[in-house]
Amino acid sequence: MSKQGKIGVTSENIFPVIKKFLYSEHDIFLRELVSNAVDASQKLRALASAGEYKGELGELQVRVSFDPEAKTITISDSGIGMTAEEVEKYINQIAFSGAEEFLDKYKDDKVAIIGHFGLGFYSSFMVSSRVEIQTKSYKEGAEAVHWSCEGNPEYILEPGSRSERGTDIILHIDSESEEFLSKDRLTALLNKYCKFLPIPIIFGKKQEWKDGAYVDTDQDNQINDIHPAWTKKPSELTKEDYIAFYHQLYPQTMEEPLFWIHLNVDYPFNLTGILYFPKVKNQMELQRNKIQLYANQVFVTEEVEGIVPEYLTLLHGVLDSPDIPLNVSRSYLQSDAQVKKISNHIAKKVADKLDELFRNERSLFEEKWESLKVFVQYGMLSDEKFYERAAKFNLLTDLEGKLYTIEEYRTLTESSQTDKDGQLVWLYANDKETQYSAIERATAKGYSVLLMDGPLDVHAISQLEQKLEKTRFVRVDSDSIDKLIAKDEQREVSLSSEEQQALSQIFQARLPREEKRNYHVTFEALGEDADAVLITQGEFMRRMQEMARLQPGMNFYGELPEGYNVVLNSDHALIKRLLSEEQTSVEPKLGTLREELKAQTELVEAARTVQNAKKADEVTAAEREELESLSYKQAELEGKINSELQRFGQETALVGQLVDLALLGSGLLKGEALARFIRRSQELL
């Protein structure tokens, strides 16, 4: 029997649609055709198990071969095969209502059309100018069938030449797709898509090194592992098996995983898999999309967002679920109830595993904490339920490397680090070297200091402050230690406003002039034994800027200049000495100017009082001009006084030395300024 006909579609444009619409994913054809061949083999095995097929199964395999001269790729199986009627049903009738509706519905999701609409076989036309099928059904008395199509609705169906049960799909590769007529390219695709299919996939022969070259042996080259670790029961696997499978998944990875979670769920959904926590030597090594998603051992994707919570995309491993369609859109994943159940289950299993390890093997958990920390923090920040589960094993690290749960650290610090307002203050550093001086001042008081130098710590701190009652975090160098944990009312600064203004100008003269960095002089009575000058950075603004660097939506804070407080200790002998020297050498020159400024200030205040007593429209132009002239003269006098004070600051080596010491203690003295400081220090010695 020979027959010609048209494939059952309502639009003759379906083949151009396939080629154009799937072009960027055109290598997927091999997955689809090999998967179909595997399905045909498994169906035959199922029929034999049910007693519906009495013949010999033989060696169920799928063979992939290519002929670069003939420009063909052939996928062969010994599965159930097809009769002419089945070819008509499964190949010639494509259930589409029309190409126009099809394009409109899936214009934003080109991947979704394969598999989801039974187009697996037709993906072959993405790379072929002609496709042939040679097939023979397993059914007794069935005749071989040959089907051929050149990428349009016309096809030929006629008697075939295949003598044994099964199917050959022969692709005549078009000129634009000749890259696939390469052993290396096909090997790469088979390893990507077919590495764990449940039927042996044969591609060529195994090779051996002989006479200076690799040559084929007589042994078939099976490219897949038909029984990968995730398909087995945990009781059947050893630690070595899990580690070996990890390296099978990631052959370029030298490190062993920290530990793993074996998933095996059959209700209310089907899910198997193994998730590995990778060892993280530094935060730059974190990589997403290392989890491979399979459906019945058929590779689907490494982009598992929507199936796995975002924070768990940092894990490695395999998930396999027939309940997740092979090709679905992201919007489908986000809305599908079954997928949400799977996602929630995975998150719970990960939290349970971490909790179990913490409770039963805390020392081992602590050894792994440096790598686990980013996973745990990311989960707590992303998922409220995960936060609730993880709060009991989330650890804080002090500067000595000791690890505490939140409750353990509260018990340790509650008595000593609660301020006069009942707030528990947790001090932290994110750079032990540059913040050393501030750390030393805190530890001298008997306070504990945490190390918070991870990429997510600034966000984790803000979250914990919201969750924990009457608890706040402050960086150890964000203020003087007596202000960070205020026990009593602060001692008052004994300097007059005129003395403070004089010292402020003297020190401003020696502070760096830097782009995007401001310094503001303040005064505190810190005691005679405290440093003469401290440089601190306010907690709120600094934290906002740190968060802005990690969070694009906070760019406003990132653009603001860094602000530092230069704290002068009014109790220190060196500050008193400077003030005394200023009063001896500068104040005599300023006496007349200060008297003039005092008189001018009184005139300005009097004029302003007159204007404030009137409505805005009642103030005359002459009155405005007079106030402006008086204010200008006031500012001019202030400028002359400040110039004299700043000249004193510039000429006094002690001022420069105190400023540089404070900058050095805060890690802000670098480059040329550091070199000048060293030279000046030598001169003073």
Side-chain angles (χ1 to χ4, degrees):
M1 177 200 76
S2 178
K3 178 180 178 181
Q4 293 186 349
K6 285 193 174 183
I7 292 168
V9 293
T10 58
S11 169
E12 294 190 0
N13 294 325
I14 190 65
F15 286 100
V17 165
I18 291 171
K19 276 189 174 276
K20 178 182 176 183
F21 209 48
L22 299 179
Y23 186 75
S24 65
E25 305 289 340
H26 63 327
D27 67 1
I28 214 166
F29 78 93
L30 195 59
R31 182 192 80 177
E32 296 299 311
L33 296 177
V34 173
S35 296
N36 286 348
V38 168
D39 287 344
S41 303
Q42 289 184 305
K43 285 175 183 175
L44 186 69
R45 183 179 285 164
L47 290 171
S49 297
E52 295 181 32
Y53 175 65
K54 306 293 186 182
E56 292 292 328
L57 283 179
E59 202 168 5
L60 292 177
Q61 297 176 334
V62 175
R63 291 184 174 269
V64 179
S65 60
F66 73 106
D67 185 337
E69 292 185 7
K71 297 185 179 181
T72 60
I73 296 174
T74 302
I75 296 93
S76 301
D77 67 70
S78 52
I80 58 174
M82 288 181 285
T83 63
E85 291 76 14
E86 287 168 336
V87 171
E88 287 273 16
K89 179 178 179 181
Y90 296 120
I91 301 298
N92 293 341
Q93 298 297 322
I94 306 175
F96 275 115
S97 58
E100 185 176 344
E101 178 187 340
F102 166 74
L103 279 173
D104 182 62
K105 187 173 183 180
Y106 294 98
K107 61 186 176 184
D108 297 323
D109 191 11
K110 55 195 169 191
V111 178
I113 68 172
I114 307 181
H116 197 56
F117 285 94
L119 263 182
F121 167 74
Y122 278 90
S123 64
S124 58
F125 286 99
M126 290 157 41
V127 298
S128 306
S129 59
R130 182 162 66 97
V131 177
E132 294 182 75
I133 301 174
Q134 289 281 3
T135 185
K136 185 177 181 182
S137 173
Y138 74 97
K139 295 174 182 177
E140 190 172 349
E143 295 182 355
V145 178
H146 175 244
W147 178 94
S148 178
C149 178
E150 294 185 353
N152 56 52
E154 305 288 340
Y155 70 87
I156 295 173
L157 184 64
E158 60 188 357
S161 60
R162 185 170 176 118
S163 59
E164 301 293 333
R165 171 202 76 216
T167 301
D168 299 324
I169 307 292
I170 303 113
L171 311 182
H172 295 263
I173 303 301
D174 62 34
S175 59
E176 295 179 356
S177 304
E178 290 182 6
E179 62 175 291
F180 296 109
L181 295 170
S182 156
K183 181 178 180 181
D184 290 343
R185 186 77 168 97
L186 289 173
T187 297
L189 287 180
L190 289 168
N191 278 325
K192 177 180 179 180
Y193 291 120
C194 309
K195 195 172 183 178
F196 300 112
L197 286 171
I199 296 293
I201 311 299
I202 308 301
F203 181 56
K205 299 293 184 179
K206 287 189 176 180
Q207 292 189 318
E208 63 180 13
W209 184 260
K210 189 174 182 180
D211 298 329
Y214 281 105
V215 295
D216 287 347
T217 66
D218 294 331
Q219 190 175 359
D220 285 338
N221 178 42
Q222 181 176 324
I223 60 93
N224 61 321
D225 176 0
I226 63 173
H227 298 298
W230 83 82
T231 65
K232 301 175 184 177
K233 296 177 181 178
S235 59
E236 299 172 354
L237 299 168
T238 64
K239 174 184 175 182
E240 289 72 25
D241 292 330
Y242 283 110
I243 293 173
F245 182 61
Y246 182 75
H247 290 300
Q248 187 179 359
L249 291 173
Y250 312 107
Q252 305 302 318
T253 302
M254 303 303 293
E255 294 282 354
E256 292 186 358
L258 294 172
F259 56 88
W260 45 86
I261 301 167
H262 196 136
L263 302 165
N264 194 348
V265 184
D266 55 17
Y267 183 82
F269 47 80
N270 290 292
L271 174 69
T272 56
I274 302 172
L275 292 178
Y276 293 90
F277 279 79
K279 190 176 291 184
V280 181
K281 283 195 250 181
N282 61 68
Q283 306 304 338
M284 297 303 293
E285 292 181 355
L286 290 173
Q287 295 180 334
R288 297 179 185 275
N289 296 331
K290 300 291 282 187
I291 297 176
Q292 300 175 12
L293 178 65
Y294 289 78
N296 289 324
Q297 296 176 238
V298 179
F299 176 80
V300 179
T301 182
E302 283 184 333
E303 296 180 6
V304 294
E305 293 93 337
I307 300 167
V308 172
E310 185 182 3
Y311 56 94
L312 293 182
T313 60
L314 300 175
L315 300 180
H316 296 177
V318 167
L319 295 173
D320 190 327
S321 177
D323 291 332
I324 299 172
L326 272 178
N327 300 284
V328 289
S329 65
R330 181 167 294 190
S331 60
Y332 172 88
L333 291 175
Q334 291 171 344
S335 62
D336 185 73
Q338 193 79 321
V339 172
K340 286 181 180 178
K341 288 178 184 177
I342 292 173
S343 177
N344 291 336
H345 177 81
I346 293 170
K348 183 179 183 302
K349 291 292 287 186
V350 169
D352 289 347
K353 176 68 175 183
L354 291 170
D355 184 43
E356 177 189 357
L357 183 62
F358 174 73
R359 286 185 290 102
N360 298 334
E361 299 180 75
R362 177 159 177 172
S363 60
L364 180 62
F365 186 90
E366 291 187 359
E367 285 176 23
K368 301 176 186 295
W369 178 247
E370 186 177 352
S371 288
L372 290 176
K373 179 180 175 182
V374 69
F375 297 108
V376 174
Q377 285 184 332
Y378 196 0
M380 293 175 74
L381 290 165
S382 307
D383 183 344
E384 185 65 27
K385 287 185 178 178
F386 189 86
Y387 176 93
E388 293 170 4
R389 295 178 180 124
K392 52 184 176 287
F393 56 75
N394 179 45
L395 299 181
L396 302 172
T397 310
D398 71 11
L399 293 176
E400 296 176 354
K402 294 180 181 176
L403 296 168
Y404 306 87
T405 65
I406 291 170
E407 288 308 311
E408 288 169 350
Y409 198 67
R410 179 181 295 279
T411 301
L412 176 73
T413 57
E414 203 160 24
S415 60
S416 60
Q417 293 182 212
T418 300
D419 67 12
K420 63 184 178 63
D421 299 319
Q423 286 278 328
L424 178 56
V425 181
W426 284 347
L427 305 173
Y428 70 93
N430 55 21
D431 190 324
K432 291 194 289 187
E433 300 300 321
T434 60
Q435 293 153 20
Y436 179 82
S437 297
I439 291 168
E440 192 175 41
R441 290 191 289 271
T443 53
K445 287 270 190 180
Y447 298 149
S448 173
V449 181
L450 295 168
L451 180 62
M452 306 290 277
D453 61 351
L456 297 178
D457 277 338
V458 64
H459 295 287
I461 285 170
S462 296
Q463 182 186 48
L464 289 172
E465 285 178 331
Q466 294 173 21
K467 298 286 187 181
L468 304 177
E469 188 177 351
K470 287 192 170 184
T471 302
R472 62 189 176 93
F473 288 77
V474 291
R475 206 170 81 177
V476 70
D477 62 343
S478 61
D479 212 330
S480 63
I481 191 63
D482 289 337
K483 275 194 170 181
L484 290 178
I485 306 178
K487 296 293 187 179
D488 305 301
E489 293 300 325
Q490 298 295 302
R491 292 193 298 261
E492 289 190 10
V493 174
S494 58
L495 302 176
S496 68
S497 60
E498 190 174 282
E499 290 171 329
Q500 291 184 34
Q501 188 270 341
L503 284 170
S504 178
Q505 290 299 318
I506 289 167
F507 277 87
Q508 284 286 358
R510 297 301 285 265
L511 286 167
R513 302 286 188 268
E514 299 173 308
E515 188 179 353
K516 287 207 168 188
R517 186 174 285 174
N518 296 331
Y519 294 91
H520 175 63
V521 177
T522 64
F523 297 86
E524 290 184 35
L526 301 175
E528 296 178 357
D529 296 330
D531 291 347
V533 183
L534 301 175
I535 293 183
T536 64
Q537 189 179 23
E539 178 72 15
F540 174 78
M541 186 57 68
R542 177 196 49 72
R543 196 187 295 184
M544 291 302 102
Q545 289 177 323
E546 287 179 357
M547 293 176 73
R549 285 192 284 271
L550 298 170
Q551 204 165 313
M554 299 178 65
N555 284 342
F556 167 75
Y557 289 104
E559 293 301 315
L560 293 176
E562 293 179 330
Y564 291 89
N565 292 322
V566 181
V567 183
L568 305 187
N569 179 9
S570 61
D571 294 334
H572 200 280
L574 289 175
I575 300 299
K576 292 177 180 178
R577 173 180 148 189
L578 272 175
L579 187 59
S580 176
E581 289 179 6
E582 182 274 330
Q583 290 173 341
T584 300
S585 62
V586 182
E587 285 304 320
K589 304 175 188 177
L590 300 181
T592 302
L593 286 171
R594 289 196 185 281
E595 288 298 322
E596 290 179 20
L597 177 61
K598 182 179 179 182
Q600 191 67 23
T601 300
E602 289 174 355
L603 291 173
V604 169
E605 289 175 352
R608 188 171 286 122
T609 300
V610 169
Q611 289 195 19
N612 289 341
K614 298 180 179 181
K615 294 180 180 179
D617 58 355
E618 294 175 346
V619 179
T620 65
E623 287 174 326
R624 290 194 184 92
E625 288 177 8
E626 181 188 12
L627 179 58
E628 186 177 338
S629 175
L630 291 171
S631 297
Y632 178 82
K633 183 69 180 293
Q634 180 191 36
E636 190 177 38
L637 290 168
E638 287 175 343
K640 290 179 179 179
I641 292 171
N642 290 342
S643 293
E644 289 296 327
L645 292 167
Q646 289 178 8
R647 185 180 297 112
F648 172 77
Q650 285 286 357
E651 294 172 352
T652 305
L654 179 58
V655 178
Q657 197 72 359
L658 288 173
V659 167
D660 284 351
L661 283 169
L663 289 168
L664 188 66
S666 299
L668 298 172
L669 191 66
K670 299 173 182 177
E672 184 182 351
L674 178 58
R676 286 199 305 267
F677 167 74
I678 293 171
R679 285 196 298 272
R680 188 193 318 116
S681 299
Q682 291 171 342
E683 290 167 3
L684 289 172
L685 290 172

